[in-house]
Amino acid sequence: MTAAVTAGRGLADDVRVDGRENGGRRPDPEVEPKARRRSFTAAYKLRILTEYEAATSPGAKGAILRRENLYSAHIVEWRKAREAGALSGLSKPKGRPPVDERDRELE
């Protein structure tokens, strides 16, 4: 087994272990300078809510949250938004509606 450590940003540990991706390299431990907030589309939220509510076996709901890297608070907020009708409003296309053929003729 060999180990090589580099100094500074991009610190890497080149320990070769069978079965590990990237030849055993570990991710950079430094925190990115600007955190980015995740955003989810309305279609994704509805799909996850449907799947989450259909889960019946013990541990299935937790498995969905772990797989999608979500928290139960996401589900609570998305349910509130769905009940308020906010998710259906998000799925509408943005911008101006297309010009009606009759209006085009009048111009």
Side-chain angles (χ1 to χ4, degrees):
M1 179 174 5
T2 59
V5 178
T6 59
R9 184 123 171 95
L11 184 66
D13 185 0
D14 285 341
V15 177
R16 306 268 187 238
V17 178
D18 293 336
R20 289 180 62 187
E21 293 181 12
N22 300 328
R25 290 189 185 269
R26 294 190 180 125
D28 186 6
E30 293 291 321
V31 177
E32 292 300 319
K34 176 88 173 165
R36 287 187 17 222
R37 185 172 281 224
R38 294 186 294 173
S39 62
F40 306 100
T41 64
Y44 174 80
K45 292 176 184 180
L46 290 174
R47 182 177 61 83
I48 295 298
L49 279 174
T50 305
E51 184 180 354
Y52 185 83
E53 291 168 350
T56 56
S57 64
K61 291 181 178 184
I64 293 169
L65 294 177
R66 284 189 299 275
R67 183 190 72 217
E68 300 294 329
N69 198 21
L70 298 172
Y71 296 98
S72 59
H74 285 117
I75 301 297
V76 171
E77 292 300 318
W78 295 350
R79 278 184 182 152
K80 287 179 185 177
R82 182 184 60 191
E83 290 168 4
L87 291 180
S88 61
L90 288 175
S91 62
K92 293 179 184 174
K94 293 182 180 178
R96 291 182 175 180
V99 177
D100 189 49
E101 190 64 34
R102 189 184 66 182
D103 291 339
R104 191 173 292 144
E105 286 180 20
L106 290 174
E107 285 181 5

